[in-house]
Amino acid sequence: MLSQKPPGVIVTSVSLHRFFLIRLFAFPFADITNSYDRTMSVTIVLFYTFVTLFMFLSYNPKPKKIIESIRSFLLHLLQHNGDEGGGSGGLPTSKSSCNVQAESDECLPKVKSIWDIPGPHRLPLIGTKWRYFLGRQRYAKVHETFMEMHRRYGPIMLDVDTVPIVNLFDRADMEKVLKYPSRFPFRPPTEIVEVYRSSRPDRFGVTNLINAQGEKWHELRTKLTTGITSRRILQSFIPSVNEICDDFVELVRHQRTEDGTIRNFQDIANSVGLEIICCLVLGRRMGYLTTNRQNEKFMRLAEAVKESFVYIGESYYGLKLWKYVPTRLYRNFVRCEEIIYDTIAEIVYEALEEEQLNCPDNDVKHIFISILQTEGLDTKEKISGIIDLITSAIETLSNTLSFLLHNLSQSLQHQREIAQEFSHCVQNITNEDLVNARFTKACIQESYRLSPTTPCLARILEEDFQLSGYHLQAGTLVLCHTRVACQSEDNFHHAERFLPDRWLEQRDENHNVVYKRQEPGASVVLPFGIGRRMCPGQKVIDIELTLLVAKIFQNFEIDYRSPLDTQFQFLLAPRTPIEIRFRDRT
């Protein structure tokens, strides 16, 4: 026990300091007037004062949370120091003390805890974030950093921010976490979004679809996304997507240069993404793919959406002073969010006022109306839900389409096979055509594996887990690095190569299935998540991508004019501008 001096203990100045801090923060109501406390040095008083002032100014403005932050950090620091000294986090013990405490002559083996997990060196107050302060690693390349960390530390690695973060690279560990049967899976909130929206109660409700947890999240998810996950509604939406994709092809023809190059493909990709999602959610064509509607307002919206994701990504690193003072990062994020809200809200209210929904099918119209007529949600929750759906869809489609076209540009044979698969479709492509497009869907799946927009999935453990030999307690934050696993030779044959055939059943001349290659890592190709927390827009994106690449390769052959570089912007995104040459298919 800590209140008595165990036999064989050699009391040092360090152990006294550690003992005092444990008593003070782990047991705040205990009697601390014993002889140990009276020997406390001036050094430890100054240290305590410094930490208290730092936490008060930097960590949290609420007194209770300040105390919890101090307590959590110091207990972590003590545990870390104990590990370096060969102890288990308490006072240093000798062999004889182990014999006294155990009935047998042998000490029990130490259970490996979260603090035993290998990782970069941890410093007081800033944890492992010093790597970014010193410029050794860049925020925009954090996805490449994790590849390096996997090679250096193995299947599991510990980062420390304000809380410990466990990074998982092993497929078996990820499957344990992601397939855990939870009714309401917990994942960490996007803090900068939470801080901003709580500052604008005039626009946003107390909770929202992005950061809600538990039953409230389930309620919002059910009421706001039912329309875009309905198979019947999505099938009735296919004719409208055909029209939009035809307009996209015409826009490419109009904007390409003499040699067929589109100078900034992302602008067109953003246009088609916004047009499709507005048609689905709002039930109307916006006209963003016609040249006279490429107006300044839309361009500002697309740029604001892109920058917003960049600032969200940057908010995860550094000292996070934006929580307490309006830093430059926070001001820029707010500016983007204001543009996004004002522009999309204007579109929504225009649709309400005009009540002229131009999409021909009543099922498509039903999505927009059903959200606005949902009972149990106030108008702010409905509007913010529509804004979140539109914003997420724009960036996700734009990035995913750019990665897919880059992968397909490496092989003219792949492009021709896609064109051949839809050669019988003279005008509209039907749902049956999409179902039978085996090779096109295999290309999309392979692009999801090699170039996912979501490099990792976050979860908060709901019960204790044993992962890679370490005991993790409930409440631990873990990141499942699916991108790293998908590019590992342990999980995929020729993992670095774009091979759509790995997803196809091999057939003989009579179309009988001969075999299907078994890839061990197929279960971790999760670009939209898994289970109840899976992105509700996956089916929409699948339809959009299939129709877009079908229309593109019916009309063009493509090649990238510039090398594709990726950067982390909360999502993985291609570094712009992107130049693609579209040559007419003969």
Side-chain angles (χ1 to χ4, degrees):
M1 298 293 292
L2 290 175
S3 59
Q4 297 180 356
K5 194 187 304 181
V9 172
I10 301 175
V11 179
T12 65
S13 176
V14 174
S15 66
L16 288 175
H17 295 168
R18 289 169 54 206
F19 173 77
F20 166 75
L21 292 173
I22 292 174
R23 287 290 302 249
L24 182 59
F25 295 104
F27 308 100
F29 300 105
D31 177 17
I32 57 172
T33 61
N34 55 38
S35 60
Y36 289 100
D37 302 322
R38 288 194 294 271
T39 62
M40 181 184 67
S41 66
V42 174
T43 303
I44 208 65
V45 175
L46 293 175
F47 178 75
Y48 163 67
T49 304
F50 170 78
V51 171
T52 302
L53 289 174
F54 183 88
M55 296 294 182
F56 184 83
L57 294 174
S58 303
Y59 263 60
N60 205 301
K62 297 181 180 180
K64 288 183 179 180
K65 291 189 176 181
I66 293 173
I67 295 172
E68 289 299 318
S69 296
I70 298 171
R71 174 180 169 180
S72 175
F73 169 75
L74 289 178
L75 287 178
H76 149 57
L77 183 62
L78 294 174
Q79 177 69 48
H80 176 55
N81 290 336
D83 291 345
E84 290 181 344
S88 57
L91 294 172
T93 59
S94 67
K95 206 167 189 179
S96 60
S97 67
C98 187
N99 293 334
V100 172
Q101 294 175 19
E103 293 183 1
S104 64
D105 292 332
E106 297 181 356
C107 293
L108 293 175
K110 178 184 175 183
V111 176
K112 292 196 291 185
S113 72
I114 187 173
W115 303 112
D116 297 310
I117 298 174
H121 184 69
R122 305 189 290 272
L123 297 179
L125 304 179
I126 62 174
T128 57
K129 292 183 291 185
W130 61 269
R131 296 174 295 155
Y132 300 98
F133 298 158
L134 298 180
R136 290 192 179 185
Q137 285 143 10
R138 293 186 296 150
Y139 305 137
K141 292 295 183 180
V142 69
H143 55 294
E144 295 180 0
T145 297
F146 283 119
M147 297 287 285
E148 178 187 342
M149 294 295 103
H150 171 48
R151 289 190 291 267
R152 179 179 301 179
Y153 297 110
I156 190 168
M157 186 265 286
L158 181 66
D159 259 331
V160 177
D161 197 336
T162 52
V163 297
I165 304 171
V166 178
N167 297 272
L168 303 178
F169 304 108
D170 180 70
R171 171 170 50 87
D173 287 343
M174 294 184 204
E175 290 175 347
K176 287 181 185 177
V177 172
L178 297 175
K179 292 183 178 181
Y180 177 77
S182 173
R183 186 181 179 193
F184 309 124
F186 285 87
R187 68 180 182 189
T190 307
E191 292 181 295
I192 195 169
V193 174
E194 197 169 42
V195 170
Y196 163 68
R197 293 192 174 185
S198 64
S199 72
R200 293 300 305 266
D202 56 316
R203 288 187 166 185
F204 301 97
V206 178
T207 58
N208 57 78
L209 188 59
I210 293 178
N211 287 336
Q213 304 285 1
E215 292 187 8
K216 184 60 179 179
W217 164 79
H218 182 67
E219 178 190 13
L220 290 172
R221 166 93 175 203
T222 302
K223 293 180 177 180
L224 294 175
T225 67
T226 300
I228 64 172
T229 58
S230 166
R231 184 183 301 272
R232 177 180 58 85
I233 292 176
L234 292 178
Q235 288 180 1
S236 66
F237 181 59
I238 290 174
S240 298
V241 183
N242 268 277
E243 295 176 7
I244 294 171
C245 291
D246 289 335
D247 291 344
F248 170 81
V249 169
E250 291 306 311
L251 184 62
V252 169
R253 293 188 190 280
H254 183 271
Q255 291 199 354
R256 59 183 177 169
T257 61
E258 291 184 1
D259 68 345
T261 302
I262 297 291
R263 296 297 182 193
N264 195 340
F265 179 76
Q266 287 294 97
D267 288 346
I268 299 181
N270 287 331
S271 299
V272 71
L274 181 61
E275 186 74 16
I276 291 176
I277 195 62
C278 283
C279 185
L280 175 62
V281 175
L282 303 180
R284 60 190 306 215
R285 286 293 305 271
M286 305 304 298
Y288 289 124
L289 293 177
T290 57
T291 54
N292 61 343
R293 288 299 300 273
Q294 297 288 309
N295 53 42
E296 181 181 352
K297 183 188 296 183
F298 165 68
M299 299 305 294
R300 285 201 309 131
L301 171 62
E303 189 65 26
V305 170
K306 182 179 184 63
E307 291 183 5
S308 174
F309 279 100
V310 172
Y311 297 132
I312 290 175
E314 291 182 359
S315 73
Y316 280 91
Y317 302 93
L319 287 176
K320 300 187 178 181
L321 296 178
W322 51 264
K323 290 184 179 180
Y324 318 105
V325 295
T327 62
R328 182 179 180 182
L329 183 149
Y330 184 75
R331 294 195 303 271
N332 286 334
F333 175 75
V334 169
R335 173 181 55 81
C336 293
E337 289 295 298
E338 298 288 327
I339 293 173
I340 292 169
Y341 185 95
D342 292 339
T343 306
I344 298 180
E346 181 181 340
I347 295 172
V348 172
Y349 288 125
E350 281 180 5
L352 278 173
E353 291 174 2
E354 294 177 7
E355 294 184 358
Q356 295 176 350
L357 308 179
N358 298 324
C359 287
D361 196 290
N362 289 332
D363 282 333
V364 175
K365 181 188 298 186
H366 176 71
I367 297 176
F368 176 53
I369 295 176
S370 65
I371 291 176
L372 295 177
Q373 294 180 348
T374 298
E375 297 181 357
L377 300 178
D378 62 28
T379 302
K380 290 184 290 188
E381 289 176 321
K382 297 171 186 177
I383 297 299
S384 66
I386 293 172
I387 289 173
D388 290 338
L389 291 174
I390 292 175
T391 303
S392 300
I394 295 172
E395 194 69 6
T396 301
L397 177 66
S398 174
N399 294 340
T400 306
L401 178 61
S402 298
F403 288 139
L404 176 59
L405 292 183
H406 175 262
N407 290 324
L408 290 170
S409 69
Q410 310 302 310
S411 170
L412 284 176
Q413 181 59 33
H414 290 160
Q415 298 177 35
R416 290 165 182 165
E417 286 189 51
I418 292 175
Q420 180 62 33
E421 203 161 45
F422 293 94
S423 59
H424 63 282
C425 304
V426 180
Q427 293 181 339
N428 278 355
I429 296 172
T430 66
N431 180 63
E432 183 179 359
D433 298 326
L434 297 181
V435 172
N436 294 327
R438 295 171 55 252
F439 183 76
T440 304
K441 290 190 290 186
C443 290
I444 294 172
Q445 182 72 358
E446 180 69 348
S447 189
Y448 285 158
R449 180 192 70 83
L450 201 59
S451 311
T453 57
T454 304
C456 62
L457 302 174
R459 288 291 186 272
I460 298 175
L461 300 183
E462 297 180 48
E463 66 176 34
D464 292 3
F465 273 79
Q466 290 284 341
L467 300 174
S468 289
Y470 297 90
H471 179 77
L472 304 185
Q473 295 181 344
T476 301
L477 172 59
V478 299
L479 296 181
C480 300
H481 290 272
T482 53
R483 177 178 180 269
V484 174
C486 285
Q487 297 185 19
S488 170
E489 289 291 331
D490 293 335
N491 299 321
F492 289 93
H493 303 288
H494 304 295
E496 78 289 350
R497 297 174 57 188
F498 183 78
L499 300 174
D501 286 344
R502 73 172 80 243
W503 303 103
L504 294 174
E505 296 175 337
Q506 303 303 313
R507 299 171 181 265
D508 59 19
E509 62 276 6
N510 297 320
H511 300 286
N512 297 317
V513 176
V514 179
Y515 74 94
K516 183 177 182 180
R517 178 181 293 168
Q518 297 298 319
E519 296 284 8
S523 62
V524 292
V525 182
L526 303 169
F528 299 94
I530 187 174
R532 292 178 178 269
R533 279 285 186 176
M534 185 169 62
C535 173
Q538 177 177 6
K539 293 179 181 178
V540 179
I541 296 295
D542 285 342
I543 291 174
E544 293 172 347
L545 288 176
T546 308
L547 283 169
L548 278 169
V549 297
K551 296 285 186 177
I552 288 172
F553 294 121
Q554 280 181 329
N555 294 274
F556 307 108
E557 290 182 347
I558 69 166
D559 61 85
Y560 263 59
R561 303 287 290 179
S562 56
L564 182 68
D565 188 20
T566 57
Q567 56 187 2
F568 179 73
Q569 301 173 351
F570 185 62
L571 300 175
L572 270 189
R575 188 172 183 177
T576 55
I578 297 174
E579 293 187 1
I580 304 179
R581 184 168 64 176
F582 290 80
R583 303 186 306 274
D584 289 329
R585 181 174 295 281
T586 56

